[in-house]
Amino acid sequence: MRAYEVFIKAAERHGIPFVNGESVAANLTERGFKWFFRVTPVALDFARAYSEFLKIQKAAGRKTDNIALVHENTEYGNSVGNVIIDQFKKDGFNVGTKIAYSANSSDVQPQVLQLKEKNPDVVIFISYTSDAILYTKTMKELNWKPGIMIADNAGFNDPAFVKSLSNQVDGLINRSAFSAGKPGSVPDLFNKLYVKKTGGEFFSGGDEATIIKAIQSIDRRAAGKIEMKQYSTERPRYQPFAMIAALLWCGALMLRFTIPTFQTFP
């Protein structure tokens, strides 16, 4: 996060567009930077999605009254955690337990014991890979697991976590950038249903090639429907000024060759 801030400040200072597909913290995305662009959802969008999900679960009869938020205490965890709490308050959800811990901890047993004692209905984790692995192992050792467990991407989405511990967190709800997956997979089927219903399709904004592919798809599907602004040297935007300059130059040449006073000028 700190490295991103250095890069962003440099981009702002030099007027260079900084296109970022990863940072979600409000202290980066909500500060009014002119040259910093985030191409996928930010913390507030995720908070709203979590809240909507819990509303659906509550309507279905599941318990959602007691919510715990567990986050690492760097700028990422603190910022995203505060956004989630603020949005939940607006939507009538109470985050009764908030546990901040040091990132890359060697022991999270005290935090898991606190969760087990409070026994919340919902736990939301904002953790990097090593912490996600440690929390999962510790919860299994202490024989405790929340009714609803939500992960804010990061460590819970790391291939290392998915490969080694995904079977221990069945039912985990995790947000992530979209990936169509293999033909016949759930994301692939979901994407096909979306295309059939809307005529559009999903794209992950995590890399330049995908962003370009998305732009090309939009151009292809919306040809003739969207007014495009052209910013190119090929467009004669300065034609009036060029004509005035040419006339002035011709006038100067006429003075140079017709009036003796101007003929003495170098």
Side-chain angles (χ1 to χ4, degrees):
M1 186 76 72
R2 295 183 187 276
Y4 273 134
E5 289 202 61
V6 173
F7 297 145
I8 292 168
K9 288 178 181 178
E12 291 291 304
R13 186 165 59 251
H14 297 290
I16 301 172
F18 187 139
V19 181
N20 184 299
E22 300 297 332
S23 298
V24 303
N27 63 339
L28 293 181
T29 61
E30 306 298 326
R31 282 168 60 179
F33 290 126
K34 294 181 179 179
W35 296 95
F36 177 71
F37 303 93
R38 159 77 177 179
V39 295
T40 55
V42 295
L44 181 59
D45 300 306
F46 302 135
R48 288 171 174 165
Y50 301 154
S51 180
E52 287 300 314
F53 170 75
L54 291 180
K55 288 178 184 177
I56 294 171
Q57 297 305 306
K58 186 174 183 178
R62 300 192 69 181
K63 293 182 178 181
T64 60
D65 295 329
N66 189 1
I67 301 173
L69 177 68
V70 181
H71 67 88
E72 51 87 44
N73 63 359
T74 68
E75 294 175 45
Y76 161 60
N78 289 327
S79 177
V80 174
N82 289 333
V83 171
I84 291 173
I85 290 173
D86 290 343
Q87 184 60 43
F88 276 28
K89 285 181 179 178
K90 293 178 182 177
D91 293 340
F93 287 110
N94 177 43
V95 179
T97 303
K98 183 176 183 289
I99 300 175
Y101 68 90
S102 297
N104 300 313
S105 296
S106 59
D107 180 21
V108 295
Q109 189 175 76
Q111 288 84 359
V112 175
L113 284 172
Q114 185 180 352
L115 286 171
K116 187 174 182 179
E117 180 185 357
K118 298 287 186 180
N119 197 29
D121 304 315
V122 181
V123 178
I124 301 173
F125 284 94
I126 305 173
S127 304
Y128 288 116
T129 306
S130 61
D131 301 325
I133 291 173
L134 191 56
Y135 268 102
T136 302
K137 288 183 176 180
T138 305
M139 285 192 294
K140 183 179 180 181
E141 290 171 2
L142 295 176
N143 193 30
W144 182 83
K145 183 180 176 182
I148 298 176
M149 183 174 169
I150 299 175
D152 189 69
N153 196 309
F156 289 89
N157 203 47
D158 191 302
F161 174 85
V162 174
K163 184 177 180 180
S164 61
L165 293 171
S166 59
N167 62 335
Q168 296 184 25
V169 286
D170 287 340
L172 170 70
I173 305 300
N174 187 23
R175 65 99 176 160
S176 177
F178 178 78
S179 175
K182 297 179 181 179
S185 65
V186 172
D188 177 61
L189 295 174
F190 186 82
N191 188 48
K192 288 177 179 176
L193 289 172
Y194 184 85
V195 171
K196 183 177 179 180
K197 184 175 180 61
T198 68
E201 57 185 307
F202 284 108
F203 292 95
S204 170
D207 60 84
E208 180 182 357
T210 307
I211 294 171
I212 292 174
K213 184 180 177 181
I215 294 171
Q216 291 173 340
S217 176
I218 293 170
D219 285 341
R220 190 167 58 250
R221 295 173 189 276
K225 299 178 183 179
I226 299 177
E227 180 183 355
M228 303 293 291
K229 291 185 178 181
Q230 181 180 6
Y231 296 96
S232 169
T233 54
E234 296 177 0
R235 183 177 178 181
R237 292 182 292 160
Y238 303 106
Q239 187 173 8
F241 301 100
M243 292 179 64
I244 293 172
L247 290 172
L248 290 174
W249 180 248
C250 291
L253 287 176
M254 291 180 63
L255 292 173
R256 175 71 173 78
F257 292 111
T258 59
I259 301 178
T261 304
F262 289 99
Q263 292 176 1
T264 60
F265 286 179

